């Protein structure tokens, strides 16, 4: 059992309400397929839009999905899988709102996801500094602009990794775009 499977197994997917109105149990299966650990044994494209996230809100499974994305970054996965999980993590930390039912229970899903992602700072820094993939390094850096409280450290990494970061990361445009929606920590 890998880290992804272990993290998926540790979540109560059947007890979570998915954005589609069903139990989030199918989200766990989608995450396994995304990781290439489903029945086909190879990575499959899955869309978690309207199940975990939408442009307007995150739904109840979002913190669990955030935890699984961090496990995927720490696990041995193919580069395409890594990029897919980074893209998913970016959607979790850039979420703007909480679904009505979760908000009624006092949950702030964007804040919960950002706090969870902040626990994986060094995984994100490793992704930026490894320079394995330009898109992955850029996405990891954009996530860091949301969750990294040490702005001086972020600036140092920006300067060191400038040659392989996208223009928006080198210039700070992604900071302005994403940080404007997230309260300072």
């Amino acid at each position: 059992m890998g880290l992804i499977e272990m993290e998926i197994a540790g979540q109560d997917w059947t007890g979570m309400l998915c954005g589609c109105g069903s139990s989030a149990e199918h989200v766990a299966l989608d995450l396994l397929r995304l990781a290439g650990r489903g029945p086909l044994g190879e990575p499959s494209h899955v869309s978690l839009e309207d199940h975990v996230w939408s442009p307007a809100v995150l739904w109840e499974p979002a913190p669990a999905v955030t935890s699984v994305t961090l496990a995927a970054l720490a696990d041995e996965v193919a580069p395409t899988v890594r990029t897919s999980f980074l893209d998913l993590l970016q959607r979790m930390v850039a979420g703007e709102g909480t679904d009505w039912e979760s908000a009624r229970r006092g949950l702030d899903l964007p804040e919960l996801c950002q706090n969870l992602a902040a626990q994986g700072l060094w995984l994100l820094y490793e992704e930026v500094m490894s320079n394995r993939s330009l898109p992955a390094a850029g996405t990891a850096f954009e996530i860091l602009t949301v969750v990294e409280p040490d702005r001086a450290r972020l600036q140092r990494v920006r300067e060191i990794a400038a040659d392989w970061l996208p223009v928006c990361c080198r210039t700070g445009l992604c900071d302005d775009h994403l940080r404007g929606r997230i309260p300072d920590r």
Side-chain angles (χ1 to χ4, degrees):
M1 177 181 283
L3 297 175
I4 296 168
E5 293 87 353
M6 185 176 71
E7 190 57 33
I8 287 172
Q11 303 292 333
D12 178 19
W13 301 99
T14 58
M16 291 180 223
L17 183 62
C18 180
C20 70
S22 300
S23 142
E25 190 171 14
H26 69 91
V27 172
L29 299 174
D30 288 341
L31 291 167
L32 286 171
R33 287 197 343 253
L34 182 65
R37 298 183 182 169
L40 298 178
E42 60 186 52
S44 301
H45 172 74
V46 298
S47 175
L48 296 175
E49 186 173 8
D50 297 327
H51 297 278
V52 178
W53 66 273
S54 77
V57 299
L58 297 177
W59 279 283
E60 186 179 7
V65 168
T66 300
S67 291
V68 173
T69 63
L70 292 172
L73 295 179
D75 209 341
E76 293 293 323
V77 296
T80 57
V81 171
R82 180 176 228 65
T83 300
S84 294
F85 276 103
L86 279 165
D87 290 343
L88 184 56
L89 182 59
Q90 184 177 35
R91 294 188 188 289
M92 298 299 98
V93 302
E96 293 185 29
T98 298
D99 72 271
W100 187 85
E101 183 60 31
S102 297
R104 188 179 65 74
R105 294 191 334 245
L107 296 175
D108 182 337
L109 297 178
E111 182 179 356
L112 286 170
C113 291
Q114 291 162 19
N115 290 339
L116 285 165
Q119 294 175 25
L121 282 178
W122 295 112
L123 293 170
L124 296 166
Y125 275 119
E126 193 276 333
E127 190 64 45
V128 171
M129 297 306 292
S130 73
N131 191 16
R132 284 185 290 256
S133 157
L134 298 181
T139 302
F141 192 87
E142 287 180 8
I143 295 166
L144 284 165
T145 67
V146 177
V147 302
E148 171 59 273
D150 186 340
R151 305 318 277 179
R153 177 170 46 209
L154 187 64
Q155 182 58 34
R156 286 191 304 274
V157 169
R158 173 180 278 130
E159 292 165 5
I160 293 167
D163 289 342
W164 60 86
L165 288 175
V167 172
C168 66
C169 296
R170 288 193 306 259
T171 61
L173 289 175
C174 62
D175 301 31
D176 297 339
H177 173 70
L178 294 173
R179 291 288 301 169
R181 294 189 263 158
I182 316 282
D184 289 332
R185 298 183 189 274

